[in-house]
Amino acid sequence: MDTLIRKEFETSANFAHKLDSEDPLARFRQRFYIPEGTIYMDGNSLGLLSKDSESSVFQTLNEWKGLGIKGWLEAKHPWFYLAEKLGATCAKLVGAKPEEVVATGTTTVNIHSLLNTFYQPSGKRKKILADELDFPSDIYALKSVLKLRGLNPGENLILVPSEDGRVLDENRIVEFMDERVALVFLPSVLYRSGQLLNMQYLTEKAHNRGISIGFDCSHSVGVVQHYFDKWDVDFALWCSYKYLNGGPGGTAFLYMNEKHFDREPALAGWFGYVKEKQFDMSLNFEHSRNAGGWQISSPAILSSSPIAGALKIILEAGIEAIRKKSLRMTSYLMYLVDELLSEQPYNFTIGTPREAERRGGHVAVEHKEAVRISEVLRARDVIPDYRPPNIIRTAPIPLYNTYYEVWKFVQHLREILDRKEYEKLPKERKMIS
Ligand SMILES: *Cc1c(COP(=O)(O)O)cnc(C)c1O
């Protein structure tokens, strides 16, 4: 353990309270609905509902009630422009121009749409480069992109291996960027270990080799700063229901670098049409020369509405302050695990990189009994999530968690082990964890 971190923190409950009393973001907790009696550490899977989101949903329901179809143009935020409006707002969070981001579709649909747009195999350049620690849905999409072109994924999808099953070495990824690679698609943060990849470095290296590169930032937008324009990333996409608190299965986002606005959207649909002419109902597709061109269907207004309230809070708090607190909370959590739970008989380990610039918003707390320990935590109304093989994924969320909850969380783990509570449970796991 880093001696600086050792000096920064103490293990007492009082110290946790002290951290809370000095927390500049503490006031935001009251804007959220925290499930009663619960320590909720799962905001990296499903962020909680805020009062702001609730009121933006009620507003939409009232507009539908009172305006019917007129809501498309007469709602406070006219539905016809909502996708672009939310995109422009979210652009501030990711270092993009307003017209480079749009709220549309869902994460995996956007992966299909953007990969098919950018995957242009030619001559020897046929392969797609991803990694073996990627989220399964991303890999399924990558394979189906290849199969649709009649190509064998076994030959044409290269998955960069991980040495330890936790993290990836950026230099190793770069070594795979050779003249056979047409496209690189990587996550910003690995969903299990929480490693944050250096997107700027990877983008620069890919471009030096004439390769396009895009990122799935589902696990980083809302908790980490992004500078897509400065980094010159070709495209990116992310969900809204994790750190953005936009609601279960809500509308996702995509970023299209403006230099690609003239590219042909691979999955065309009428909401990608040039806005002013969409209702001319021409049969010849002409896409908007902005991220909006990559919309397919009518925007899902009801699952986009909560995002308006959610983004308002994040912008008010400021992404720099959010990131700062997130790092402090995760450092504190790792410190407590190291100090209190790393030795016999506890034997917990940390699977997340220690360096601040190499981690996202969650910590992989590892234990060989992680499945059953997670179940006991849930029974105690403590909610992290479990990811195979041995990870208790724990995300203290800067906007609504407290340092005291982090402290309590560690006490729960200690008690569960002291009492061997998990031994009473069967070994198989539940369907959704
Ligand atoms: C959360 C997440 C998804 C989820 O995909 P959906 O299409 O929204 O269900 C996909 N990829 C990554 C990397 C994620 O973190």
Side-chain angles (χ1 to χ4, degrees):
M1 163 116 284
D2 195 310
T3 45
L4 267 180
I5 290 178
R6 265 229 167 92
K7 272 196 201 135
E8 189 182 344
F9 298 121
E10 295 169 21
T11 55
S12 69
N14 273 343
F15 190 78
H17 289 307
K18 177 171 171 280
L19 290 173
D20 282 321
S21 69
E22 295 164 355
D23 171 15
L25 297 184
R27 68 184 191 282
F28 288 96
R29 179 175 167 90
Q30 69 193 49
R31 303 253 295 259
F32 286 86
Y33 291 101
I34 315 283
E36 216 181 315
T38 297
I39 297 180
Y40 192 83
M41 296 276 183
D42 207 8
N44 62 326
S45 261
L46 179 65
L48 292 177
L49 173 67
S50 63
K51 293 173 186 170
D52 304 61
S53 285
E54 181 185 50
S55 62
S56 53
V57 174
F58 282 149
Q59 183 183 320
T60 302
L61 287 173
N62 277 324
E63 288 169 335
W64 181 20
K65 207 189 273 177
L67 295 172
I69 197 166
K70 287 187 188 166
W72 284 103
L73 290 174
E74 293 177 19
K76 183 167 168 230
H77 304 299
W79 305 336
F80 188 60
Y81 301 103
L82 186 64
E84 289 82 1
K85 188 182 157 60
L86 292 174
T89 309
C90 200
K92 297 178 196 163
L93 273 185
V94 295
K97 298 187 182 71
E99 65 277 15
E100 287 176 316
V101 180
V102 68
T104 189
T106 56
T107 321
T108 308
V109 170
N110 290 340
I111 298 177
H112 282 281
S113 157
L114 297 184
L115 285 171
N116 275 301
T117 299
F118 279 89
Y119 182 52
Q120 311 279 357
S122 80
K124 262 173 70 184
R125 272 198 198 281
K126 267 199 188 153
K127 307 205 188 270
I128 302 181
L129 185 63
D131 68 275
E132 68 169 11
L133 299 180
D134 211 346
F135 193 80
S137 201
D138 300 48
I139 298 289
Y140 306 154
L142 285 163
K143 288 184 178 170
S144 79
V145 167
L146 289 163
K147 283 195 239 168
L148 279 170
R149 311 284 175 103
L151 295 167
N152 178 357
E155 265 165 48
N156 294 291
L157 178 61
I158 305 175
L159 298 179
V160 178
S162 158
E163 296 258 305
D164 65 353
R166 295 185 177 103
V167 298
L168 296 167
D169 173 359
E170 278 98 343
N171 291 317
R172 188 104 172 87
I173 299 176
V174 173
E175 281 168 21
F176 279 90
M177 295 179 183
D178 60 25
E179 67 293 339
R180 300 165 308 152
V181 175
L183 179 62
V184 181
F185 184 59
L186 294 165
S188 51
V189 167
L190 297 181
Y191 77 101
R192 271 186 299 213
S193 69
Q195 179 191 9
L196 171 65
L197 292 178
N198 187 335
M199 290 179 267
Q200 179 168 26
Y201 175 76
L202 292 166
T203 302
E204 187 193 313
K205 296 294 172 191
H207 287 173
N208 286 345
R209 290 159 177 74
I211 306 170
S212 300
I213 183 164
F215 294 94
D216 183 333
C217 297
S218 295
H219 257 92
S220 56
V221 173
V223 74
V224 171
Q225 296 104 315
H226 298 68
Y227 303 96
F228 289 146
D229 278 346
K230 183 170 148 232
W231 300 340
D232 201 28
V233 166
D234 292 296
F235 67 96
L237 51 101
W238 57 96
C239 72
S240 65
Y241 48 77
K242 292 171 179 156
Y243 295 98
L244 288 183
N245 311 314
T251 305
F253 285 92
L254 64 83
Y255 161 85
M256 178 66 57
N257 189 313
E258 66 181 349
K259 69 187 179 190
H260 298 303
F261 284 171
D262 284 333
R263 277 181 188 251
E264 178 83 21
L267 307 189
W270 76 313
F271 260 82
Y273 210 90
V274 176
K275 276 212 114 50
E276 304 72 43
K277 297 199 281 186
Q278 181 179 340
F279 279 84
D280 293 354
M281 300 301 207
S282 161
L283 296 187
N284 298 314
F285 183 59
E286 190 187 328
H287 78 276
S288 283
R289 284 341 195 230
N290 53 46
W294 276 262
Q295 293 176 85
I296 302 170
S297 292
S298 306
I301 300 300
L302 282 178
S303 32
S304 300
S305 318
I307 301 172
L311 287 177
K312 189 170 144 226
I313 299 188
I314 293 177
L315 290 170
E316 207 180 305
I319 191 68
E320 287 76 20
I322 290 174
R323 172 67 167 158
K324 195 168 168 204
K325 179 173 172 190
S326 166
L327 285 171
R328 195 130 198 254
M329 291 185 113
T330 50
S331 296
Y332 179 53
L333 172 60
M334 293 191 289
Y335 161 83
L336 291 175
V337 170
D338 285 341
E339 292 293 306
L340 304 173
L341 296 174
S342 61
E343 293 182 356
Q344 293 280 10
Y346 305 106
N347 302 325
F348 282 92
T349 51
I350 297 291
T352 304
R354 299 284 174 159
E355 308 92 309
E357 67 284 2
R358 289 185 71 220
R359 60 192 156 84
H362 73 265
V363 174
V365 179
E366 299 177 344
H367 194 279
K368 69 178 182 3
E369 286 290 349
V371 189
R372 295 198 289 174
I373 294 171
S374 303
E375 283 302 312
V376 179
L377 284 168
R378 277 176 184 250
R380 288 170 167 241
D381 291 325
V382 179
I383 321 281
D385 61 21
Y386 163 75
R387 286 292 175 267
N390 64 343
I391 300 168
I392 301 169
R393 222 171 44 158
T394 311
I397 303 298
L399 289 173
Y400 51 79
N401 283 123
T402 63
Y403 290 93
Y404 182 65
E405 287 178 309
V406 174
W407 184 86
K408 281 290 285 180
F409 176 80
V410 171
Q411 309 307 310
H412 276 284
L413 287 180
R414 200 174 158 98
E415 255 180 51
I416 290 167
L417 272 275
D418 282 341
R419 300 182 192 171
K420 299 195 164 58
E421 276 176 46
Y422 61 88
E423 288 185 354
K424 294 168 201 138
L425 294 181
K427 287 211 167 177
E428 66 271 19
R429 49 189 281 242
K430 298 232 169 93
M431 203 119 90
I432 296 182
S433 52

